[in-house]
């Protein structure tokens, strides 16, 4: 495929998203089927890439949904994006519940179909499995359809406890922002053989526990692709982990070129050349689906 035809296809996809979908569902001609955990499993099995973005409010969530984003993550990154914090550690469960409810209400008003995932924030699940369940209940009652938690090891037991009780779980390995102080900063994880082996084992343990998805953040592309190749039922979602994962996620503000600090290597500004936010979202979805984003030469290690 030539660059010209690829750009034309993306432009057509952006135009179609703008014409057939409204952020609040006014004049939409067609609607896709609801994205569920079953649909995610089918996409993974068929090799269709999964496009995920963060959102923290009703309007951006509805706009992302209208552009074809498969999964919307209410991330605890809201602490840095919305609250101006330097890390995610200060985000409370009430913060997460409030923003999850905002996103859920936006999707409901727009008759949206994206799968809504919410982060369990630091301190809301580390104490016990029972604490984790109580925290997950608050987010599910606010509208989340899946819960994301960070870490392997002890966190696998927590994930299994939630899944056994009907809470779909997305894991998170590699750079885990809630424990960035223990990791020594925002650094690529899994470069050493011992660390890579531990990450593989944690990934397989999370899959065995029943996790539906697994975020791999700032992981060498070769390791992420290797882990992805070993997973049968759990879809890997990369962020700074190369193109070999089952899907991609970016912080919405980053991919729109809005950032309070230095832009990470794995980010691409999709607002460049786009006529508007919804078109930028649609370009991101198209690039994830056709495999042109990320470019391992530019966005990975």
């Amino acid at each position: 495929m030539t660059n010209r035809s690829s750009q034309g296809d993306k432009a057509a996809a952006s135009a179609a998203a703008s014409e057939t979908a409204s952020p609040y569902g006014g004049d939409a001609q067609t609607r896709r089927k609801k994205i569920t955990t079953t649909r995610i499993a089918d996409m993974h099995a068929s090799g269709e890439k999964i496009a995920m973005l963060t959102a923290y409010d009703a309007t951006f969530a509805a706009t992302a949904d209208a552009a074809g984003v498969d999964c919307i993550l209410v991330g605890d990154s809201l602490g840095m994006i919305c609250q101006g914090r330097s890390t995610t550690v200060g985000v409370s469960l009430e913060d997460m519940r409030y923003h999850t409810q905002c996103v859920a209400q936006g999707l409901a008003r727009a008759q949206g179909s994206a799968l809504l995932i919410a982060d369990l924030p630091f301190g809301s699940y580390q104490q016990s499995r029972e604490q984790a369940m109580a925290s997950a209940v608050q987010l599910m009652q606010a509208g989340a359809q899946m819960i994301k938690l960070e870490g392997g090891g002890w966190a696998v037991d927590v994930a299994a406890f939630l899944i056994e009780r009907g809470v779909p779980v997305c894991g998170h390995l590699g750079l885990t922002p809630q424990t960035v102080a223990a990791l020594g900063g925002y650094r690529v994880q899994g470069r050493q053989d011992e660390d890579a082996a531990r990450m593989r084992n944690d990934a397989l343990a999370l899959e065995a526990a029943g996790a539906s998805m697994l975020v791999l953040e700032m992981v060498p592309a070769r390791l992420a692709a290797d882990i992805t190749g070993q997973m049968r039922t759990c879809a890997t979602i990369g962020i700074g982990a190369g193109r070999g994962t089952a899907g991609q996620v970016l912080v919405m503000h980053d991919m729109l070129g809005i950032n309070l600090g230095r832009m990470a290597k794995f980010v691409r500004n999709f607002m460049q050349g786009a006529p508007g936010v919804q078109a930028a979202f649609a370009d991101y979805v198209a690039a994830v689906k056709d495999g042109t984003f990320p470019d391992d030469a530019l966005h990975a290690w």
Side-chain angles (χ1 to χ4, degrees), residues 66-86:
V69 173
D70 298 311
C71 304
I72 294 177
L73 170 64
V74 184
D76 58 1
S77 51
L78 68 85
M80 304 167 81
I81 299 298
C82 303
Q83 299 174 337
R85 300 178 186 274
S86 58

Side-chain angles (χ1 to χ4, degrees), residues 76-200:
D76 58 1
S77 51
L78 68 85
M80 304 167 81
I81 299 298
C82 303
Q83 299 174 337
R85 300 178 186 274
S86 58
T87 73
T88 65
V89 171
V91 176
S92 69
L93 182 60
E94 174 55 25
D95 291 334
M96 294 303 306
R97 188 207 63 77
Y98 170 76
H99 285 276
T100 298
Q101 185 176 48
C102 289
V103 168
Q105 289 175 168
L107 291 175
R109 182 174 167 185
Q111 301 175 49
S113 55
L115 183 73
L116 175 52
I117 306 167
D119 269 337
L120 283 174
F122 181 73
S124 71
Y125 62 101
Q126 285 86 352
Q127 185 175 349
S128 68
R129 299 180 304 176
E130 290 75 18
Q131 182 203 27
M133 185 66 197
S135 299
V137 166
Q138 288 201 42
L139 298 185
M140 297 288 282
Q141 289 178 340
Q145 297 159 304
M146 183 179 291
I147 299 301
K148 184 168 78 66
L149 53 78
E150 295 184 2
W154 63 270
V156 174
D157 184 51
V158 174
F161 188 84
L162 296 180
I163 293 163
E164 287 170 356
R165 285 153 182 79
V167 179
V169 169
C170 174
H172 187 150
L173 297 175
L175 190 283
T176 46
Q178 293 176 7
T179 55
V180 68
L183 295 174
Y186 294 93
R187 302 162 56 185
V188 178
Q189 303 295 308
R191 281 180 158 161
Q192 303 302 316
D193 290 345
E194 182 179 350
D195 295 334
R198 184 184 306 110
M199 196 180 304
R200 286 190 190 92

